[in-house]
Amino acid sequence: MATLEGVLERITYANEETGYTVARVDTGRGGDLLTVVGSLLGAQVGESLRMEGRWGSHPQYGKQFTCENYTTVLPATIQGIRRYLGSGLVKGIGPIFADRITRHFGLDTLDVIEQEPKRLIEVPGLGPKRTKKIADAWEEQKAIKEVMVFLQSVGVSTSIAVRIYKKYGDASISVVKNRPYRLASDVWGIGFLTADRIAQAVGIPHDSPERVKAGLQYALSQSTDQGHCFLPEERLIADAVKLLQVDTGLVIECLAELALPDEDSGEAGVVREQVPGEHGEPVTAVYLVPFHRAELSLSAQVLRLLRTGDDRMPAFRDVAWDKALAWLADRTGAKLAPEQEEAVRLALTEKVAVLTGGPGCGKSFTVRSIVELARAKKAKVVLAAPTGRAAKRLAELTGAEASTVHRLLELKPGGDAAYDKDRPLDADLVVVDEASMLDLLLANKLVKAVPPGAHLLFVGDVDQLPSVGAGEVLRDLLSDDSPVPAVRLTRIFRQAQESGVVTNAHRINSGTPPLTQGLKDFFLFVEEDTEEAGRLTVDVAARRIPAKFGLDPRRDVQVLAPMHRGPAGAGNLNALLQQAITPGRPELPEKRFGGRVFRVGDKVTQIRNNYEKGVNGVFNGTVGVVTSLDADEQRLTVLTDEDEEVPYDFDELDELAHAYAVTIHRSQGSEYPCVVVPLTTGSWMMLQRNLLYTAVTRAKKLVVLVGSRKALGQAVRTVSAGRRCTALDFRLAGATRQKI
């Protein structure tokens, strides 16, 4: 073993899960920076470290030091102190203030901040407000350090340790030692596997009932991430036995206990209920409580709206439709097709209705017609969509104001809505576009807020991918036994037939390969090798399309990948596209976080629902551009596609990912002038018809596929296997249910 001391200059790679880090260290002896590899969890750029480990040599990178453990030592030289303070470690101090403070206090700088922080006001430009901020940040940093030292011993990464501290404060160590499985439900970014690793490190037995119950809830939570509202009991037990490596009997016992009310809260951890299975046979469904409540509530609210005797648009009960439709044709300059007329009548006479259909079939024009007629009768029309982009498109289409569902309901911290059953929206007609994106929880919040007698219209393409969140709300509303009336538009209009994008979307949806030659708006670049296909995708998106079509590679071109991983996956493509579109420049600030680098101009996306951010929360899938990056305040600002400026502290950057390339699932509800889709045999398991159909229907003008014909054929042929586990269709059909 050897000891090495030095200042951590930069982190070139960090794996947040394992803690494995590649860093460059200045040993103070002149010459080049030294490479250090190993676990440097918690170490911050600018800190002086005393590391224990071994010397070695890498065949490509040469001499390096493998660190096995380290301690932080406060820097002892003025230069070291200046670098330490200027690293962004203490909020409020950047390189300029670090220089001023160290010039004023010299070697006593850190003692002054620690013991007499009020003296910082002696430094030119430091007022009382900033001085207090620096003192508070220093204290918090110290407290976090103590927690870090403990958490480091049980293998927790820096960003997660900071989050644990923010959640529990001084109680952090106590919670981690005594109730580690609480972390999985309380702290975003900590799943069961991380909590389990921590529990093992603090000595909780492998067969502890607490561990098994947490594992069961984790398995259910994982299934909701895959879109299921429940799991059949047998499948849940099998999943838990595999995950936990314990006896089946113990899992069955713990599941039975979870279904009983908790002594402290009085609530059960799960709900068991008998529902029809995939082929109609009865199965015992096991739900997490919020999903069971939402499914019961959503079905009850839809049936309530359908059955009410109230009507907030009574003028349409006995309207002269011939005259109304003639007036409409005169106003819009186009006559509706018969199935569009049916949809208009349905939306204005039925309390709940669904309008579905593929691209080019006139859904948008039908919606505009419905809104025009409703407004002509002085109805209060409310328009909403699940994403900012979809809401903007709806507003442009109808000439009326539209908002995201989250903003419409004014969701508050914690996820409660300002509008609900007791305080409904002031609306006569509520139109929800891109309804295929509505998951169970959001649909329930929305339908609750619709007043009795108002008309509710869901509009969407049921053949697209289902929502990212749990449920298949649109499909369930359209099921054979559903009491909700619906119209499916099938006729492709002549103007749309001239579009290769529309033609090929319908070909793909019917299982026919798309035409890839002779079209001016649909292309295939053949490349069999997955890595080469990844590189070609970047070249097409960043250089060729902008050069040929004059499109902006950041604003107008979107790469949509079937998977996140792999050489042609969204993760790798983001790194390559960032390098091509927003490369680093010495004069521009940037922030490295984990394995990512954020720069001004970066296209980014939010990857979790955060009700605390922005005016009404910022939600999974929200896209924006980084507009500023402040090293002193340790904050960057994102301008979202809803034109809202949202600040992110540097320790919150794990909520953001780059969005030059996104998975097709994450693109739902969005529309782009051009999409580029890498299709390779490397993403074989994901290649399904509704995935490719969704990708193609995201494009307004241009689609470019890059990859192998074999992968394209697989995607067109493969119909998605199996429905999601949901009982909304069964509840809507009003079947009798048996509680277990």
Side-chain angles (χ1 to χ4, degrees), residues 385-390 393 434-439 461-469 471 558 560 620-623 641 662-672 690-691 694-695 697-698 724:
T387 66
R389 284 185 180 223
R393 201 168 65 241
E434 294 289 354
S436 62
M437 289 185 68
L438 280 179
D439 62 45
D461 185 347
V462 75
D463 294 321
Q464 286 180 24
L465 288 168
S467 56
V468 175
Q558 183 62 56
L560 301 179
N620 188 354
T622 299
V623 175
D641 54 10
V662 297
T663 61
I664 296 166
H665 280 88
R666 294 190 71 82
S667 73
Q668 287 170 267
S670 295
E671 196 175 62
Y672 316 96
N690 61 350
L691 189 87
T694 300
T697 54
R698 299 308 87 215
R724 291 178 167 189

Side-chain angles (χ1 to χ4, degrees), residues 313-358:
M313 293 202 297
F316 290 102
R317 281 188 203 156
D318 49 10
V319 76
W321 283 106
D322 289 349
K323 284 184 183 175
L325 293 169
W327 173 87
L328 184 66
D330 188 50
R331 186 166 173 84
T332 58
K335 193 173 182 297
L336 291 167
E339 56 186 13
Q340 290 177 305
E341 287 184 6
E342 187 192 346
V344 169
R345 283 199 191 99
L346 205 64
L348 297 173
T349 57
E350 296 284 354
K351 306 295 171 43
V352 185
V354 177
L355 171 61
T356 189

